[in-house]
Amino acid sequence: MTVEEGQVQRIGATEAVFRRLKSLVQGDEYAVGDRLPGELALAKEFGVSRPVVREALHACATLGLTETHTGRGTFVISKKENPRLTFAGVDAEDLIEARRLVEIPTAGYAAQRRTEEQLRRLFDILDHLANATDDREWVRYDGELHTAIAAASGNTMLTTFVADTRSALDLQSEFLNLTQDRRADSDREHEAIVRAIEARSADAARAAMTEHLERVADTIARIGD
């Protein structure tokens, strides 16, 4: 991705705008407490749509660099990234630890207990993920896939846990897709999980889910490097 004469290429636009905004905020152009230009001005400067700018600003806020106040604008609140990300008030590391404890064995149970109907549902969601036209749509199906895997485990407590964590996980998935381009990798990891469930291999399903969660954890750990 390149930025030339203030214009951001459309491919990977949100990530490019995010990286440009992050550079501006952490550079000398703005001081802590300064207000950034409005969404419309930034959209014109970078040659992208306002939703792209809005999502990039949200990513900056997630890193603890900026804060947006309705009716007042977006302000620089720090030059340094918060080393501990939070999503919907949940610490990212806490989220990963909890997912390891719950979703790995859940995938194994799903491989042992899933029905043919549940398996068809998993493959249907994989198709939706592969054909999602935007990140928000993809995030919705990502949540549906993990919830459907939990449902296939046949354990109502595990299903409830996974469903209850989706608000935080949706924000995390959206952030990682926008800033770290995780979609393609996640699609491959998801397919490996579902294929193991199809084969009724509990060991392979647990291993595939472990791989998926560890790659998410590694991506989060690299943010800010």
Side-chain angles (χ1 to χ4, degrees):
M1 281 168 289
T2 61
V3 179
E4 299 177 357
E5 300 179 355
Q7 298 296 302
V8 178
Q9 289 184 351
R10 191 64 192 90
I11 297 176
T14 304
E15 183 178 358
V17 171
F18 161 71
R19 292 184 182 280
R20 179 61 179 145
L21 284 173
K22 178 183 169 187
S23 177
L24 288 172
V25 168
Q26 294 182 315
D28 297 328
E29 188 165 346
Y30 296 98
V32 173
D34 283 353
R35 183 167 65 87
L36 296 177
E39 288 180 5
L40 182 58
L42 289 171
K44 289 182 178 179
E45 178 181 352
F46 296 137
V48 297
S49 66
R50 289 183 69 176
V52 167
V53 170
R54 190 175 303 121
E55 290 173 354
L57 287 171
H58 184 266
C60 287
T62 297
L63 289 174
L65 298 174
T66 62
E67 191 171 80
T68 299
H69 299 275
T70 303
R72 294 177 55 205
T74 298
F75 297 83
V76 177
I77 62 172
S78 177
K79 291 287 187 176
K80 296 181 179 180
E81 299 171 27
N82 188 334
R84 296 187 70 87
L85 302 178
T86 60
F87 301 98
V90 180
D91 183 274
E93 292 185 11
D94 291 346
L95 198 56
I96 285 292
E97 286 185 358
R99 295 185 73 188
R100 288 188 183 112
L101 290 172
V102 174
E103 292 199 61
I104 292 172
T106 296
Y109 292 136
Q112 295 171 328
R113 302 169 181 171
R114 56 84 177 165
T115 65
E116 290 301 316
E117 181 179 354
Q118 288 169 329
L119 183 63
R120 284 193 294 272
R121 174 60 178 154
L122 292 176
F123 277 109
D124 184 54
I125 298 172
L126 285 182
D127 287 340
H128 285 302
L129 285 166
N131 296 304
T133 56
D134 59 59
D135 283 332
R136 289 187 182 277
E137 182 184 10
W138 187 94
V139 166
R140 176 164 61 86
Y141 285 117
D142 176 41
E144 289 187 14
L145 181 71
H146 283 273
T147 302
I149 291 171
S153 77
N155 186 307
T156 57
M157 291 298 295
L158 295 176
T159 304
T160 298
F161 173 86
V162 173
D164 286 348
T165 60
R166 284 321 308 176
S167 59
L169 292 175
D170 285 353
L171 291 174
Q172 178 182 275
S173 292
E174 180 179 307
F175 176 77
L176 294 181
N177 287 344
L178 294 180
T179 65
Q180 307 297 315
D181 196 21
R182 271 283 302 164
R183 267 184 65 168
D185 287 340
S186 288
D187 283 346
R188 287 190 291 269
E189 294 155 20
H190 288 151
E191 182 175 359
I193 297 167
V194 175
R195 291 294 182 186
I197 292 172
E198 178 187 30
R200 294 194 182 276
S201 174
D203 288 343
R206 287 190 291 263
M209 183 64 79
T210 299
E211 176 73 8
H212 176 51
L213 296 183
E214 292 311 310
R215 287 186 177 275
V216 171
D218 288 345
T219 302
I220 291 173
R222 288 197 305 269
I223 293 174
D225 289 348

